[in-house]
Amino acid sequence: MAEKTSRIDDRYATNEKYTTLRGIHRDAQRHLSEVAWNYLWCGTGDEVTLKDNTAAFDRYRFVAPLFAGIDNPDTRTDVLGFDLSFPAFIAPFGGEAAFHPGGHLAIGRAAEALGIRQMVPVAASFPLEDIAAASSVASVFQLTFVGDEDAVVDLMERAKAAGYKYICVTYSPIRQWRERMMDDRFSIRGEGGPANFGPGRSDPAALVELLEFTQPRWNWQKAARAIARAPLPCIVKGVTSAKDAHAALDAGAVGLYVSNYGGRTVDRTPAALDVLPAIRKSVGREIPIIFDSGIRRGSDIATALALGADAVALGRVIALGLAADGEYGVRRTLELLQREFWTTLGHLGCSRVEDLNEDVLYRP
């Protein structure tokens, strides 16, 4: 009995380097230069949308029932045909070698260890083939609809040949007004810039067009033609309204990715979480919806699912783990997110992911 009593309050004891996401955040900021930190953490303009993305989560409160009878909540789910240990993907963020030389190779291995899937961006620091070879979970390849249509289709063919299962498509903005990076005169050169273009890879003209604006940006009609030619099913990222959700589905998308790119594209747009419920209501329950922008912890994942997402994509929080301690930092980030999500499910009286809905949210 004495031994049991002495061990009753050791539930926080651990030999892990990081016990909380706060510690990972601190180490990430400590390890990065101010310039690299600004690249990771900045938004556009006055960063209103960046701040609103996280503040939107803080406006919600949970209803925690008594005696709900939950034993061990099951965090597993199936999204887009993928079995996930909890409802999360790695978001497709590029230039990641600026945070750690392992980049998306290390991220993929960590995601594999935790049983989730990786979205790989065209702007990754490693070729899409190398990332696919590094783990078994590089499943969604994200690219930008810009420039020559044939070149875009060729890039999608490369993704299929490398074993990816979906294409995540997005538009090319005119330009992002990121003042922190402008003040820093930031350049990705020497930090593992886009590796998917050049000799033996894809035509660099698409990369040039991303910056040079020699052609009109794509419209929905051109996007629909490319999606029809795609060798893999496509989901569309950047959806922030019911109107664009239906335009994406009409163009041939099989799923939607609700995101304002973490407030990194244009300022003073609505928080992504605030537009999610209307999009879900408009398209119905059958359309898969991935969500990002503003997620910082496991309880945020629960909120996003309660409001209509099927899974979330983790971007900045994964970049923090990468900067803090490479593959281990990412793996530990995912472990902490999953554990907090598990804890939240239990407190909300949910035995499985599918039990999350708006009933768990407090309505005054």
Side-chain angles (χ1 to χ4, degrees):
M1 176 65 75
E3 182 181 352
K4 279 190 175 181
T5 302
S6 69
R7 293 179 53 80
I8 198 168
D9 199 24
D10 68 350
R11 61 193 184 277
Y12 297 127
T14 178
N15 293 321
E16 293 282 358
K17 179 178 180 180
Y18 296 116
T19 58
T20 65
L21 294 171
R22 287 191 179 97
I24 291 172
H25 184 122
R26 284 193 300 267
D27 262 11
Q29 190 164 13
R30 183 169 61 85
H31 291 165
L32 295 177
S33 68
E34 183 178 0
V35 170
W37 178 257
N38 283 337
Y39 173 52
L40 190 164
W41 210 246
C42 76
T44 53
D46 286 321
E47 303 187 344
V48 173
T49 299
L50 173 69
K51 297 166 191 169
D52 281 355
N53 278 339
T54 52
F57 284 96
D58 293 338
R59 290 195 292 270
Y60 284 93
R61 301 292 182 270
F62 293 126
V63 176
L66 287 173
F67 298 109
I70 301 304
D71 179 18
N72 185 16
D74 188 352
T75 64
R76 295 173 298 173
T77 190
D78 181 288
V79 181
L80 294 173
F82 298 126
D83 293 325
L84 306 173
S85 65
F86 71 112
F89 291 83
I90 301 295
F93 63 95
E96 77 287 354
F99 312 132
H100 185 279
H104 273 291
L105 307 180
I107 291 170
R109 291 189 293 266
E112 184 176 47
L114 264 292
I116 66 169
R117 296 283 174 155
Q118 181 185 23
M119 296 183 175
V120 175
V122 68
S125 302
F126 297 90
L128 65 92
E129 292 87 356
D130 291 2
I131 298 172
S135 76
S136 64
V137 298
S139 305
V140 181
F141 182 66
Q142 176 267 323
L143 54 77
T144 306
F145 273 179
V146 66
D148 181 71
E149 185 179 318
D150 288 339
V152 168
V153 173
D154 176 71
L155 194 52
M156 291 193 277
E157 293 284 2
R158 275 181 62 196
K160 180 182 180 181
Y164 293 83
K165 304 303 182 186
Y166 287 87
I167 301 293
C168 173
V169 305
T170 190
Y171 79 108
S172 174
I174 296 300
R175 185 161 286 163
Q176 299 96 342
W177 196 261
R178 300 177 186 170
E179 292 191 348
R180 290 204 228 181
M181 293 170 66
M182 293 159 73
D183 283 339
D184 290 338
R185 294 168 172 81
F186 180 84
S187 172
I188 202 72
R189 291 185 181 88
E191 297 287 359
N196 280 305
F197 302 95
R201 294 175 186 154
S202 291
D203 187 347
L207 186 59
V208 172
E209 180 58 30
L210 195 63
L211 305 172
E212 296 296 330
F213 314 111
T214 63
Q215 305 173 34
R217 277 353 196 196
W218 285 29
N219 56 25
W220 278 114
Q221 290 72 32
K222 191 169 183 178
R225 287 199 307 270
I227 289 173
R229 296 177 62 190
L232 294 170
C234 294
I235 62 175
V236 172
K237 180 180 179 182
V239 174
T240 56
S241 70
K243 179 180 178 181
D244 275 348
H246 286 285
L249 296 174
D250 290 344
V254 300
L256 304 173
Y257 189 151
V258 173
S259 170
N260 59 31
Y261 304 92
R264 291 172 72 86
T265 298
V266 59
D267 203 15
R268 303 186 191 281
T269 56
L273 193 70
D274 288 342
V275 303
L276 174 61
I279 293 171
R280 171 53 78 194
K281 183 178 180 181
S282 183
V283 303
R285 279 302 323 174
E286 299 306 310
I287 301 299
I289 294 180
I290 312 299
F291 172 89
D292 80 16
S293 300
I295 291 168
R296 297 292 182 269
R297 53 191 323 127
S299 56
D300 293 342
I301 299 173
T303 301
L305 267 65
L307 291 173
D310 292 296
V312 302
L314 305 169
R316 273 193 182 93
V317 70
I318 295 301
L320 290 173
L322 185 67
D325 200 354
E327 182 180 335
Y328 168 76
V330 176
R331 180 177 64 77
R332 188 62 180 148
T333 295
L334 292 170
E335 288 173 347
L336 290 166
L337 286 166
Q338 182 182 25
R339 194 63 181 174
E340 186 181 9
F341 177 68
W342 175 87
T343 301
T344 305
L345 274 185
H347 281 297
L348 298 183
C350 298
S351 60
R352 55 184 190 149
V353 170
E354 291 76 10
D355 294 339
L356 282 169
N357 56 52
E358 290 197 7
D359 291 344
V360 307
L361 301 175
Y362 172 68
R363 303 290 186 184

